[in-house]
Amino acid sequence: MAPNTTTVDDTTQQFERLDLKKLAREVGCSYQVFPKETLPPLQPFEHTDPGHLGDPEKKSLYDNAEKIFDVTPCLGTEIQGIQLSQMTEQQKNDLALLAAERGVVFFRNQDIDAYDLVEFGRKFGNHVHQTFGYPPNLPELVSVFYNDPDTTKFFRAKSADEGWHSDITFEEQPAGLTFLKMDTIPEVGGDTLWASAYEAYDRLSEPMQKFLEGLEAIHTGLYHANKAKMEGVFIRREFIETKHPVIRVHPVTGWKGLYVQPGFTKEIVGVTKAESDNILKFLYNHVS
């Protein structure tokens, strides 16, 4: 969840908790709400990543987990035997550092529900999407339904390599972390793929790295805006276009990572359209 300045009240104690997993099975995505409420533009703010408070050895995690292992050499770590719902503040700090280093961290068999997960995520920041529907009283939560006709249509119209994205990069201060909770999982398939921006940068030649480090790219939420208008969905906050470096430096690790993706990157700044298109095509193919 990306940090921002949208204020959201603590909903977990004020409202009856819905069984979202049961609702999804019974009524699909129709339980979501789409409030016609205008949200103010996000304002720049100072954010301190909890990973800065993490222990480099992450003892609070390693000393209390049943097992911790890397899923691949460069990306992904799985932690077994720790419940997110029971994490101490130091464990959350160490988790933020581990996620910054490993890109994605997996937890199985968790007892945390969507309401507590939203509260858990607020330590790291929060973001309310401009158009997405959400469960009643949980505006920070985005529900994805594999059997929703719009979702099916979207993925059938695209090849797998067009799906790579980093969340909400069109914002001036985009997501540092995103929490993904799987409620209903198919017996076969349905895997979510992950890619390492660090590894993508490291595998470029040194001349290409230096070339890209001098470039910036425009990121846009135009796709979401056009989709909302076409479907008659109220746009609660206007989508913006934002300029970001093509190579970003992670504020916690100091490591460089490739920061373009077909989901939201529109163009490279300061070059011709033909040059921009070819640079981006090369980088997208490089990631996939």
Side-chain angles (χ1 to χ4, degrees):
M1 298 178 182
N4 66 27
T5 54
T6 301
T7 300
V8 181
D9 293 333
D10 181 350
T11 62
T12 61
Q13 302 300 325
Q14 298 181 26
F15 302 97
E16 178 185 359
R17 298 190 181 206
L18 301 175
D19 186 337
L20 301 183
K21 186 174 182 178
K22 180 180 178 182
L23 276 175
R25 288 176 173 173
E26 292 178 348
V27 300
C29 58
S30 63
Y31 71 78
Q32 296 185 109
V33 296
F34 294 82
K36 293 186 176 181
E37 173 188 5
T38 300
L39 299 175
L42 300 182
Q43 301 299 319
F45 65 99
E46 188 69 28
H47 174 66
T48 301
D49 193 300
H52 287 295
L53 302 176
D55 170 15
E57 297 183 7
K58 306 168 197 67
K59 292 181 179 179
S60 71
L61 297 177
Y62 280 87
D63 289 351
N64 292 282
E66 295 175 0
K67 186 178 182 181
I68 298 180
F69 62 93
D70 292 341
V71 179
T72 74
C74 65
L75 175 69
T77 295
E78 182 170 325
I79 297 179
Q80 297 179 355
I82 291 180
Q83 289 290 336
L84 293 172
S85 62
Q86 302 300 318
M87 272 193 166
T88 66
E89 289 302 302
Q90 187 57 49
Q91 285 178 322
K92 294 175 184 178
N93 294 334
D94 289 355
L95 174 59
L97 177 56
L98 181 62
E101 293 174 347
R102 296 294 302 164
V104 57
V105 182
F106 302 98
F107 294 84
R108 298 180 187 268
N109 305 315
Q110 295 294 299
D111 59 18
I112 195 168
D113 65 13
Y115 295 85
D116 288 331
L117 187 59
V118 168
E119 283 300 309
F120 183 92
R122 285 177 183 161
K123 175 181 174 63
F124 307 89
N126 69 289
H127 181 267
V128 177
H129 198 271
Q130 287 88 332
T131 60
F132 286 172
Y134 53 81
N137 307 311
L138 290 177
E140 296 138 312
L141 192 146
V142 174
S143 300
V144 179
F145 297 84
Y146 72 94
N147 57 349
D148 175 56
D150 289 338
T151 302
T152 301
K153 182 179 178 181
F154 173 82
F155 284 108
R156 283 182 177 174
K158 292 181 176 290
S159 60
D161 63 343
E162 293 179 278
W164 290 113
H165 68 280
S166 180
D167 287 342
I168 59 170
T169 62
F170 49 81
E171 302 286 21
E172 290 187 11
Q173 292 174 275
L177 287 174
T178 298
F179 291 91
L180 175 62
K181 183 179 187 294
M182 307 296 288
D183 268 347
T184 303
I185 305 173
E187 293 183 3
V188 178
D191 296 327
T192 299
L193 302 180
W194 309 87
S196 169
Y198 299 144
E199 188 73 6
Y201 170 81
D202 289 344
R203 293 197 181 193
L204 293 168
S205 66
E206 185 175 346
M208 180 60 74
Q209 289 175 344
K210 291 181 178 179
F211 169 67
L212 294 175
E213 286 173 20
L215 298 178
E216 295 179 311
I218 300 295
H219 295 242
T220 179
L222 186 62
Y223 166 78
H224 286 312
N226 289 341
K227 186 174 184 291
K229 292 175 182 177
M230 182 175 62
E231 297 175 353
V233 175
F234 185 75
I235 299 176
R236 297 186 288 271
R237 185 177 66 249
E238 290 300 318
F239 288 93
I240 62 175
E241 291 190 347
T242 307
K243 187 188 303 182
H244 293 300
V246 172
I247 304 299
R248 297 198 73 174
V249 178
H250 196 289
V252 174
T253 64
W255 302 345
K256 295 178 180 179
L258 181 61
Y259 201 68
V260 297
Q261 28 81 15
F264 300 118
T265 307
K266 178 182 178 182
E267 61 187 1
I268 303 291
V269 177
V271 300
T272 67
K273 183 179 186 304
E275 291 170 335
S276 173
D277 290 347
N278 279 283
I279 294 170
L280 290 176
K281 181 179 179 181
F282 164 75
L283 294 176
Y284 298 160
N285 289 336
H286 175 68
V287 170
S288 61

